[in-house]
Amino acid sequence: MTSSLIQANEKSIIIMKKILLYSWLLLMPMMGHAQLEVDADIISEGAKALADAPEKGSKVRNLVKKAKDYADQRSVSDVDTFYIQTPDRPWRISVDSYLSQSDLQMKSTIDGSAIYSDVVGPLKCDPRIRTDVCTSVGVRVGYKGFAVHYAINVAGEKGRDFSLSSAGSWYCAHLRLHEFKTSEPEVKYEGNFVNIYEGTTDFMSFTDKWNLDSPIKARTLVMDGYYIFNKRRFSYKAAYRQSVIQRRSAGSWLAGAMLYYSDFRYDKDPNANLILSMGDVGRIRQWQANIGAGYGYNFVPAKGWLISAMAMPMLTLYNRVKTDLFDSNLRQLSLDEEEHDDDELPKSDYRISKMGSESRNSRISLNFNARLSITYNWSRYFACVNGQFYNFRYHHKDHRGNLNDWYANAAIGVRF
């Protein structure tokens, strides 16, 4: 019985390692010029997988040994071991808990007189889609500089988070997919409203919280990568992947690039009133390409401890926004200048239909990316708290948007 369990466990470990290797190979096209660094890790992992497999023959074993020796040599040849230590155990697994929040602020100006009977002139509508602070739990599995992570929300808005990352001595690359839903946007209105009691027109500004029957669905995808100039003494993966250990304090200038995609959609029949307030827009998609430069510093106050901070302003060189426009029976009723209210046309009777799409490239803008991490290593274990803040903007005709996305992560793991 015991022998069977041991064999089953060994098979499970082999399968997990192979899955991680295949995920690594899928991420490779994103690495670009970082191929040499990653090739060494691929060779090392390939050698490990082959060594674990029931292969026979001295030629195969010799080839595996040479490939592994080459990869191990490459992993320490480009760094100053006085500053950076490579653990003996390349594998690691950790469990973590996330706190995260996404805050999208949109601004839209519509013809209030044509839609609402008590509005004179233009009406500013500023919806704010801000999720509650969400709590998620997840697992991260890594080999050397590569890691796969998955987490699901257990409190707050519904959502999930998936990421892939790879880091070498002179580069790091990260892909993160974040999805969430929210049903309670806040909409701020500003305009001239008719005072039916006094027969005057007054400027008013107020915020109304909506409870949507169909939630707003959001998806963001971020791919970022950095070049590390002081690769011999400064390690990004020591702070954020724990695949190596920073032994002494060091800093480095960084060059970075970031690709960003977001999709916010609320194009469902019950949301006809929100679509109307957004100037007929029911879906917003955005593509961005950013480049920047910044600085990172790893501070080692005592043995085992590491405090790391990075700040990088980024220029948005490519910023494309596509909006989907929708008509509805509520919109037609409003344009016909008929008096209407919820009793006359309940939400259950709302119907929308797509009118078309509009695309536009926005001008160059400034974004910001920042990270902070605190790590403690002891024996073959580690604990880490880290966080990241993103800021993205878009501008399309009378519509503007500003997205703030942040998360904080606490993890504890073991190397094996």
Side-chain angles (χ1 to χ4, degrees):
M1 182 67 177
T2 303
S3 177
S4 299
L5 291 175
I6 292 175
Q7 292 178 359
N9 186 49
E10 291 176 348
K11 291 182 180 179
S12 298
I13 293 175
I14 292 173
I15 293 172
M16 181 181 69
K17 290 181 178 180
K18 288 184 177 180
I19 290 174
L20 188 57
L21 172 61
Y22 297 152
S23 300
W24 192 335
L25 293 175
L26 289 175
L27 187 65
M28 294 313 301
M30 306 174 192
M31 297 300 100
H33 62 279
Q35 189 67 39
L36 289 177
E37 179 72 18
V38 180
D39 282 346
D41 286 341
I42 293 177
I43 294 172
S44 177
E45 169 55 12
K48 183 69 175 176
L50 288 172
D52 290 339
E55 295 287 348
K56 295 182 179 180
S58 58
K59 291 184 179 181
V60 174
R61 286 195 296 269
N62 290 337
L63 179 62
V64 168
K65 184 178 184 303
K66 289 181 180 180
K68 184 178 184 302
D69 291 342
Y70 173 77
D72 291 340
Q73 183 181 2
R74 286 281 299 167
S75 67
V76 298
S77 61
D78 292 334
V79 301
D80 186 342
T81 56
F82 189 71
Y83 282 80
I84 301 172
Q85 174 187 351
T86 302
D88 295 332
R89 297 176 173 87
W91 286 91
R92 64 196 179 279
I93 185 170
S94 61
V95 293
D96 56 24
S97 177
Y98 263 74
L99 294 178
S100 62
Q101 185 178 44
S102 296
D103 185 3
L104 175 65
Q105 301 180 52
M106 299 181 288
K107 298 180 182 295
S108 176
T109 301
I110 63 177
D111 186 357
S113 300
I115 298 177
Y116 300 105
S117 59
D118 58 343
V119 177
V120 178
L123 177 66
K124 292 183 178 181
C125 303
D126 299 345
R128 185 174 188 179
I129 304 171
R130 179 172 55 181
T131 67
D132 295 333
V133 177
C134 303
T135 302
S136 62
V137 294
V139 176
R140 187 185 303 273
V141 179
Y143 176 77
K144 292 192 174 181
F146 183 75
V148 179
H149 177 259
Y150 183 78
I152 57 173
N153 289 4
V154 295
E157 308 291 347
K158 294 182 179 180
R160 60 179 178 172
D161 195 287
F162 173 78
S163 66
L164 289 172
S165 62
S166 179
S169 60
W170 55 275
Y171 81 94
C172 58
H174 180 242
L175 179 149
R176 182 190 178 210
L177 172 64
H178 180 51
E179 297 179 339
F180 66 90
K181 299 178 182 179
T182 181
S183 301
E184 297 183 343
E186 294 180 349
V187 182
K188 180 180 179 181
Y189 297 96
E190 287 187 354
N192 295 313
F193 291 81
V194 177
N195 189 327
I196 60 176
Y197 299 103
E198 299 182 5
T200 60
T201 300
D202 302 323
F203 177 81
M204 297 180 61
S205 176
F206 62 92
T207 299
D208 186 20
K209 189 171 185 178
W210 291 24
N211 292 306
L212 301 178
D213 293 333
S214 180
I216 298 172
K217 297 180 180 180
R219 174 182 297 174
T220 61
L221 178 66
V222 179
M223 293 186 291
D224 54 348
Y226 309 98
Y227 180 85
I228 302 168
F229 288 91
N230 186 13
K231 63 180 182 179
R232 287 184 57 81
R233 297 183 174 181
F234 173 86
S235 176
Y236 174 93
K237 55 186 179 181
Y240 300 99
R241 294 297 171 262
Q242 291 75 49
S243 58
V244 299
I245 299 173
Q246 185 88 35
R247 302 177 63 187
R248 285 170 174 80
S249 302
S252 176
W253 290 101
L254 306 168
M258 179 181 294
L259 299 177
Y260 167 78
Y261 170 76
S262 66
D263 185 0
F264 290 85
R265 60 185 310 173
Y266 40 95
D267 50 345
K268 299 296 182 181
D269 289 334
N271 296 333
N273 48 358
L274 178 60
I275 294 173
L276 188 62
S277 296
M278 282 299 298
D280 304 328
V281 175
R283 185 180 185 183
I284 303 172
R285 281 168 286 179
Q286 182 183 15
W287 296 261
Q288 280 191 1
N290 307 269
I291 60 172
Y295 191 80
Y297 190 78
N298 285 348
F299 175 57
V300 182
K303 183 179 179 180
W305 287 95
L306 173 60
I307 302 174
S308 178
M310 184 195 80
M312 181 175 292
M314 308 193 81
L315 282 177
T316 303
L317 302 181
Y318 177 77
N319 192 354
R320 179 171 175 260
V321 179
K322 183 176 182 180
T323 56
D324 292 348
L325 306 179
F326 292 84
D327 195 5
S328 67
N329 52 2
L330 179 63
R331 177 178 180 271
Q332 292 300 320
L333 190 62
S334 302
L335 293 177
D336 288 342
E337 298 183 354
E338 298 180 10
E339 294 184 1
H340 61 279
D341 52 36
D342 290 341
D343 294 335
E344 196 170 319
L345 188 62
K347 289 184 179 180
S348 58
D349 291 339
Y350 288 173
R351 296 293 181 270
I352 66 171
S353 59
K354 188 174 180 179
M355 294 190 294
S357 300
E358 294 181 353
S359 298
R360 181 178 178 180
N361 294 326
S362 299
R363 59 177 179 267
I364 295 176
S365 61
L366 180 67
N367 289 326
F368 190 75
N369 182 15
R371 289 176 181 256
L372 178 66
S373 172
I374 301 175
T375 304
Y376 179 65
N377 295 280
W378 75 100
S379 182
R380 62 192 184 102
Y381 303 94
F382 59 87
C384 177
V385 177
N386 65 73
Q388 183 163 10
F389 174 81
Y390 295 106
N391 174 259
F392 301 99
R393 301 178 182 181
Y394 74 87
H395 180 200
H396 178 64
K397 293 185 177 180
D398 293 328
H399 304 281
R400 299 173 183 264
N402 180 49
L403 173 66
N404 294 322
D405 194 353
W406 66 267
Y407 71 82
N409 175 40
I412 185 168
V414 60
R415 299 181 179 94
F416 61 96

